[in-house]
Amino acid sequence: MKLSRKNGLRATALGALAVSGALVLTACGSDDNTAAPNGDKTSAAASNIKCDGAKGQLLAAGSSAQKNAMDLWVKNFQAACEGVEVNYQAIGSGGGITKFNQGQVAFAGSDSALKEEEVAESQKICKGGKGINLPMVGGPIAIGYKLDGVDNLVLDASTIAKIFDTKITKWNDPAIAKLNPGAKLPDSTIQAFHRSDESGTTQNLGKYLSTAAPADWKHDPKAKSWPAPGGQAANGSSGVATAVKDAEGSIGYFELSYATANKISTVKVNTGAAAPVDATTENASKAIAAAKVKGTGSDLALSLDYATKAEGAYPLILVTYEIACDKGNKAETLPTLKAFLNYTVSEEGQKVLADAGYAPLPAEIATKVREIVPTLS
């Protein structure tokens, strides 16, 4: 089935997402993501992997959003392909793209698509070609908080923007109180935590805030480094999650698996729909299914609808891409690169995502990625 670049990913694309019931991405960063569960299970699908000339070592780096998935994929691939070593370093999207554009890795993982200048830079490494974005997994970014006596906090894009921009500094601020009638909000200072490292998760949060609350978030939506004044910084998603877990009156952002693993309460988002929307895998899936392909040719960069008001659609989402050269890949690693990515996007590779707390790609996107990977040269 061919994917039209003009058509949105319709609800039919949601079938693959709904199967797993666990669409939780670890947020992009330099943490090791040990907090997320079930990251070491090996699937029987390893017996169906096609090695297709894979050999030697394949180096990759980037988003830790997909680290648990990578752990599974690497374990299965290496078990099936004797003598092959895949080394993926979860150092953050920015670090991965830097290494890719310096020619240090065969592919990079990123929670945001390449910028124009990064594509231009990739042409120095991808001789006769350029870096392209191949989506692999997607999921929700949760806004986690710790506030004694408040179990069902509701915020909207405007209040989230003002909190992280230090325009709202008290938990009993009238804007928060209006969204939470009856809640016992304390007259205490909000401790807002953000990422200290370059992060696609930070960038996706910025895109959401600048789209859904443009009057309240004036910062660069493309920034991977934290752009706003004030707040407290922590390294990686694990650092932010730990800080929120340990500090009363705190709030931060990270993927849902960290909230689940650390038993951190998450914000319900008032999107303008009939009811506030929980940060769940199913609700994120509804938003991801409405994505549109904005890339051209072999590039499958997606445009996400951060301002969705669809019932039950959680708007704060991200997609993790594998970034590789469409042409000009190193001859010594190309067979292994293609074999590995062919596996990760295959039905077998996508099925094992549930073991790591992820969900498969929507069917239409997976089909298109499967068409592109064999053409890498």
Side-chain angles (χ1 to χ4, degrees), residues 100-327:
F100 176 75
N101 279 341
Q102 291 176 346
Q104 297 180 32
V105 295
F107 73 92
S110 178
D111 297 338
S112 57
L114 290 171
K115 299 178 182 178
E116 290 185 9
E117 58 268 30
E118 292 169 338
V119 174
E121 186 72 16
S122 73
Q123 293 176 315
K124 298 177 183 178
I125 299 300
C126 305
K127 301 300 183 182
K130 63 182 180 181
I132 58 172
N133 303 282
L134 300 173
M136 280 296 164
V137 285
I141 302 171
I143 303 295
Y145 69 97
K146 182 176 183 181
L147 194 60
D148 287 348
V150 181
D151 299 323
N152 294 290
L153 184 67
V154 176
L155 299 175
D156 57 14
S158 176
T159 54
I160 294 170
K162 290 176 181 178
I163 287 171
F164 283 110
D165 203 21
T166 63
K167 298 296 193 300
I168 291 178
T169 60
K170 294 286 188 177
W171 278 111
N172 64 348
D173 186 276
I176 299 177
K178 184 178 179 180
L179 291 165
N180 297 272
K184 296 181 180 179
L185 298 169
D187 182 21
S188 58
T189 300
I190 298 173
Q191 298 190 62
F193 288 91
H194 58 261
R195 294 280 291 272
S196 62
D197 53 325
E198 283 200 351
S199 165
T201 309
T202 293
Q203 187 183 59
N204 278 276
L205 174 65
K207 288 179 178 179
Y208 162 68
L209 294 176
S210 64
T211 300
D216 302 305
W217 191 258
K218 300 293 188 179
H219 306 288
D220 180 6
K222 296 181 180 180
K224 290 191 176 97
S225 297
W226 184 252
Q232 301 177 61
N235 188 59
S237 287
S238 63
V240 176
T242 298
V244 171
K245 181 180 180 180
D246 292 344
E248 171 62 20
S250 60
I251 192 168
Y253 60 95
F254 31 78
E255 93 304 331
L256 186 60
S257 66
Y258 280 105
T260 302
N262 290 285
K263 298 181 179 180
I264 297 172
S265 298
T266 59
V267 166
K268 294 181 180 179
V269 178
N270 183 335
T271 64
V277 186
D278 281 313
T280 68
T281 61
E282 295 81 5
N283 292 342
S285 299
K286 294 176 183 177
I288 292 171
K292 297 180 180 179
V293 175
K294 64 179 180 180
T296 59
S298 298
D299 186 79
L300 291 180
L302 300 177
S303 177
L304 302 175
D305 185 5
Y306 298 102
T308 180
K309 295 182 181 179
E311 297 300 327
Y314 184 77
L316 188 43
I317 50 179
L318 60 76
V319 170
T320 300
Y321 301 91
E322 312 310 339
I323 293 169
C325 297
D326 57 356
K327 299 177 182 178

